[in-house]
């Protein structure tokens, strides 16, 4: 089951899934509410930086996952979301301005011919949101490019200059975590 807020992306996904058991729904991430403990895996690829309030979305994912279920998601790296970028460069970027890194919130940027809003969070904010939802963090990666996977050598060197993607993987514990107040009882 896939969900997407873009009707165009849903149409493309339905075409790609034609003849398979896969389904796609046109729905905002914030409104997705499957039955509790009904999923084993939640994956989000480069979408959660569009979400204004991350904590309730992650808590919804936690509730939807069965004990032991996993979440894996990628977002634009906070180095990339840390400034407003309305200019459309004529050439591939060779530098990135990190500005107001600790000021969280919406940032406008030029993206594929339009101005879109990405919500900037620090790496710490992402980790705190994952842990705050009740997950156990399994992995954090800044997704360094690997030779041969991004084209020619020049492009590989360009992409090694700054992290572009942040990946987090976590799981819902099989047993509920015991809080300090519960231990005191």
């Amino acid at each position: 089951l896939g969900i997407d807020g873009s009707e165009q992306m849903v149409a493309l996904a339905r075409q790609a899934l034609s003849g398979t058991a896969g389904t796609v729904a046109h729905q905002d991430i914030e409104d997705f509410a499957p039955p509790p403990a009904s999923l084993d895996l939640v994956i989000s690829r480069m979408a959660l930086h569009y979400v204004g309030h991350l904590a309730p979305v992650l808590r919804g994912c936690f509730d939807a996952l069965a004990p032991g279920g996993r979440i894996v998601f990628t977002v634009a790296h906070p180095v990339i979301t840390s400034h407003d970028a309305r200019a459309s460069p004529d050439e591939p970027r060779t530098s990135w301005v990190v500005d107001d890194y600790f000021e969280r919130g919406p940032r406008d940027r030029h993206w594929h011919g339009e101005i879109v809003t990405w919500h900037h969070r620090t790496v710490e904010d992402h980790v705190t949101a994952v842990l705050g939802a009740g997950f156990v963090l399994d992995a954090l990666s800044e997704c360094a490019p690997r030779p041969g996977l991004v084209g020619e050598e020049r492009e590989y060197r360009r992409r090694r200059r700054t992290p572009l993607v942040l990946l987090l993987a976590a799981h819902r514990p099989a047993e509920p975590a015991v809080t300090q107040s519960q231990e005191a009882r």
Side-chain angles (χ1 to χ4, degrees):
L1 169 64
I3 64 164
D4 201 293
S6 163
E7 289 184 31
Q8 291 175 319
M9 293 301 287
V10 168
L12 289 170
R14 286 182 177 151
Q15 286 176 352
L17 293 170
S18 179
T20 73
T23 61
V24 181
H26 179 236
Q27 186 176 27
D28 289 335
I29 294 170
E30 297 91 337
D31 299 329
F32 183 61
S38 63
L39 303 175
D40 295 317
L41 177 65
V42 172
I43 298 172
S44 175
R45 182 178 174 267
M46 301 303 284
L48 294 179
H49 50 264
Y50 290 102
V51 172
H53 301 287
L54 184 59
V57 170
L58 291 177
R59 185 60 203 198
C61 292
F62 182 90
D63 292 342
L65 285 167
R70 294 179 43 86
I71 183 171
V72 178
F73 68 90
T74 57
V75 292
H77 195 285
V79 166
I80 303 302
T81 64
S82 68
H83 71 286
D84 287 341
R86 290 180 177 256
S88 177
D90 294 330
E91 298 289 324
R93 291 175 67 180
T94 58
S95 64
W96 286 259
V97 175
V98 176
D99 196 15
D100 294 328
Y101 183 82
F102 293 104
E103 287 189 32
R104 286 94 171 152
R107 309 278 177 105
D108 290 338
R109 63 181 307 103
H110 193 275
W111 187 249
H112 294 283
E114 300 200 17
I115 300 296
V116 299
T117 301
W118 286 359
H119 293 271
H120 171 69
R121 299 172 182 90
T122 66
V123 172
E124 179 182 353
D125 294 335
H126 286 287
V127 171
T128 299
V130 167
L131 298 176
F135 288 106
V136 174
L137 186 65
D138 297 320
L140 182 149
S141 174
E142 294 180 295
C143 304
R146 291 188 288 181
L149 295 180
V150 293
E152 64 184 47
E153 178 68 20
R154 179 178 174 197
E155 180 64 11
Y156 168 71
R157 285 193 316 272
R158 184 181 80 84
R159 290 187 183 206
R160 287 202 46 90
R161 295 194 62 206
T162 192
L164 302 176
V165 176
L166 178 66
L167 177 143
L168 290 110
H171 71 274
R172 179 178 177 161
E175 297 292 325
V178 177
T179 64
Q180 289 179 342
S181 62
Q182 289 171 326
E183 285 177 354
R185 292 182 199 160

